[in-house]
Amino acid sequence: MPMLTHIESAVRQRYSQASQGKVDALCCPVEYDRNLLKAIPPEVIERDYGCGDPSRYLRPGETVLDLGSGAGKICFIASQVVGPKGRVIGIDMNDDMLALARKHQRSVGEAIGYHNIEFRKGRIQDLALDLEKLEADLQAHPIQTVDSFLSAEARADDLRVREPLVANESVDVVVSNCVLNLVDPRAKTQLFDEIFRVLRKGGRAVISDIVSDEMVPEEMQNDPELWSGCISGALTEEGFLNAFVLAGFYGIRLLKWDATPWQTVQGIEFRSVTVEAFKGKQGTCYERNQAVIYKGPFKEVLDDDDHWMERGKRYAVCDKTFQLFQKEPYREFFEFIEPRSEVPLEGAQPFVGDGMRIRHPKETKGQDYKANTSSSQCCDAGNCC
Ligand SMILES: C[S@@+](CC[C@H](N)C(=O)[O-])C[C@H]1O[C@@H](n2cnc3c(N)ncnc32)[C@H](O)[C@@H]1O
């Protein structure tokens, strides 16, 4: 663990300064959709400290949460992608960045023809705590003694439960652009858990961030300049993907991996990646006599629920897995086999067995199935075989 005890205040100071004017050292060239930039004021575009573009993976109608929204550029782009039926919430802990984003919120809304964005003050590793509500509370009850400190902590806990900044399972997509690396390493696990908490089942995270190809040594982690410059807090590329696994996500994949590093420091390469991860593998497994075939191209695969499958074989899966494989990012890799007699979900028995087992075609068709059919459906003018 780094000795740097004030990571967060170093980050806050650096981004207060960066909100007042462009800081070149914090910029990483990113290509955004130019059409979507037209409604965004130059002051916001020039204070772009992102390293990727998660907004290009959004869809109309989605509710999006942007972690570390800064001057608001990703929120302003996302607002146009999700359209008037979607919503965008930007979270930042820095007052100056929030003020800059809020200053332009109305004019962007007027330019695009609707208002679907809010900016909220919070720390992304503690998405339940509304820092503006806490601020108001502390003004009413200033902390002067240990007792008043302890009661403020208790009131903060109460706020998290009664008026959370972002409620459980309230968001379709969590995006972030170059911010997760800035979070204190001791809070990184909590950060990924919070992303998981606020996503609804079936939701996803699309995160652009800086990762390193080797572990960042301790002396680099102790340098506040490198910390706030998106270097020292970078997870390794493997560690970044694994953090999603540990939080309970599935279907995790690299949507983008920059071949050219953004910076190289002491031989360690720091590059931008965009990762997508899905929530929804948790839940009860019911037996409905369904099977899947993994189509390839790999000889065998293992998913995030430890289902190991060989190409071309029919595997028995529970209803939950069957439904999951029919969605992104899996569906293109599978064929799906429903039983000839449907097993209704109400009344279905729990799925038995830990490992994967082959499902014999007779289980799907029924032991008594003895039908004969002609080949008419598969051929044009009867010239097949
Ligand atoms: C590198 S800038 C990225 C800003 C923005 N995403 C963009 O694309 O321009 C990092 C932003 O994250 C905010 N930030 C850093 N750590 C944070 C934390 N723990 N909680 C909330 N915001 C944080 C900073 O205040 C700053 O606005």
Side-chain angles (χ1 to χ4, degrees):
M1 282 293 157
M3 294 293 289
L4 193 65
T5 47
H6 301 299
I7 290 169
E8 212 165 273
S9 55
V11 169
R12 207 172 289 129
Q13 271 173 28
R14 188 92 186 256
Y15 288 97
S16 277
Q17 186 205 349
S19 72
Q20 307 306 312
K22 182 177 176 191
V23 176
D24 286 330
L26 298 177
C27 298
C28 173
V30 180
E31 270 293 315
Y32 299 100
D33 180 335
R34 283 169 194 274
N35 280 327
L36 300 177
L37 294 180
K38 284 182 190 153
I40 305 176
E43 190 178 42
V44 170
I45 294 174
E46 74 164 17
R47 286 162 218 184
D48 168 14
Y49 303 118
C51 56
D53 181 13
S55 66
R56 71 178 56 192
Y57 305 99
L58 298 172
R59 294 191 280 266
E62 290 183 321
T63 296
V64 178
L65 180 71
D66 179 21
L67 304 182
S69 42
K73 181 202 63 251
I74 288 294
C75 290
F76 295 139
I77 297 176
S79 151
Q80 299 171 69
V81 180
V82 300
K85 294 203 169 120
R87 271 179 73 205
V88 181
I89 303 157
I91 304 279
D92 209 289
M93 66 176 180
N94 185 298
D95 286 324
D96 296 312
M97 282 294 188
L98 277 173
L100 179 60
R102 284 171 173 165
K103 176 173 138 191
H104 295 292
Q105 189 176 346
R106 180 139 292 280
S107 74
V108 173
E110 277 159 13
I112 64 176
Y114 51 84
H115 300 273
N116 63 353
I117 311 175
E118 341 162 30
F119 292 101
R120 301 180 186 169
K121 183 171 172 178
R123 292 189 307 161
I124 63 172
Q125 64 272 39
D126 187 2
L127 288 169
L129 187 58
D130 184 327
L131 292 183
E132 280 167 334
K133 289 208 168 109
L134 181 65
E135 209 141 37
D137 175 277
L138 292 177
Q139 262 160 27
H141 310 95
I143 295 177
Q144 276 148 354
T145 61
V146 168
D147 272 355
S148 58
F149 171 74
L150 294 176
S151 359
E153 278 197 330
R155 286 197 309 281
D157 275 344
D158 199 43
L159 264 181
R160 285 187 181 94
V161 176
R162 281 191 305 103
E163 297 175 77
L165 182 69
V166 187
N168 293 352
E169 310 202 344
S170 59
V171 169
D172 296 315
V173 196
V174 171
V175 297
S176 183
N177 196 2
C178 222
V179 184
L180 271 50
N181 71 80
L182 293 169
V183 172
D184 188 315
R186 289 159 297 193
K188 287 260 195 326
T189 303
Q190 188 185 324
L191 165 66
F192 284 90
D193 289 348
E194 279 291 84
I195 297 174
F196 190 83
R197 176 183 69 79
V198 300
L199 278 169
R200 67 168 176 78
K201 199 168 178 188
R204 65 195 190 282
V206 182
I207 310 289
S208 300
D209 219 310
I210 297 293
V211 294
S212 61
D213 64 346
E214 294 179 56
M215 290 288 284
V216 178
E218 203 159 315
E219 73 274 11
M220 272 169 71
Q221 292 193 39
N222 289 332
D223 180 334
E225 193 76 0
L226 288 177
W227 249 104
S228 54
C230 298
I231 293 290
S232 303
L235 292 170
T236 59
E237 47 207 12
E238 193 186 330
F240 192 50
L241 296 178
N242 203 34
F244 288 98
V245 176
L246 294 175
F249 286 92
Y250 76 90
I252 301 148
R253 60 178 168 179
L254 280 164
L255 295 173
K256 185 167 162 287
W257 184 92
D258 278 3
T260 309
W262 169 56
Q263 279 188 49
T264 305
V265 183
Q266 295 178 26
I268 302 176
E269 292 184 351
F270 294 86
R271 58 170 44 77
S272 165
V273 295
T274 300
V275 168
E276 179 182 53
F278 293 81
K279 172 172 172 177
K281 75 181 168 82
Q282 293 71 20
T284 320
C285 276
Y286 291 105
E287 174 62 274
R288 297 185 70 200
N289 255 345
Q290 296 137 321
V292 294
I293 299 176
Y294 167 59
K295 296 197 284 186
F298 296 100
K299 200 173 159 196
E300 54 188 34
V301 285
L302 179 69
D303 77 358
D304 284 301
D305 240 351
D306 285 334
H307 298 118
W308 171 81
M309 288 156 283
E310 286 182 76
R311 180 178 54 209
K313 295 191 175 174
R314 290 178 176 223
Y315 288 99
V317 287
C318 76
D319 186 56
K320 174 176 71 79
T321 303
F322 194 73
Q323 306 299 334
L324 217 68
F325 283 179
Q326 290 183 48
K327 296 185 194 152
E328 277 287 297
Y330 293 136
R331 81 180 145 223
E332 64 178 297
F333 301 105
F334 290 95
E335 292 295 344
F336 301 93
I337 304 161
E338 296 271 12
R340 216 162 59 83
S341 306
E342 193 197 340
V343 179
L345 189 54
E346 325 67 66
Q349 297 299 308
F351 189 83
V352 181
D354 296 336
M356 293 300 278
R357 76 174 174 85
I358 298 293
R359 178 148 269 162
H360 192 281
K362 282 217 182 303
E363 270 186 78
T364 311
K365 293 182 292 189
Q367 297 295 335
D368 304 331
Y369 187 67
K370 297 274 189 289
N372 297 301
T373 64
S374 74
S375 57
S376 59
Q377 283 169 351
C378 76
C379 312
D380 285 333
N383 50 9
C384 155
C385 306

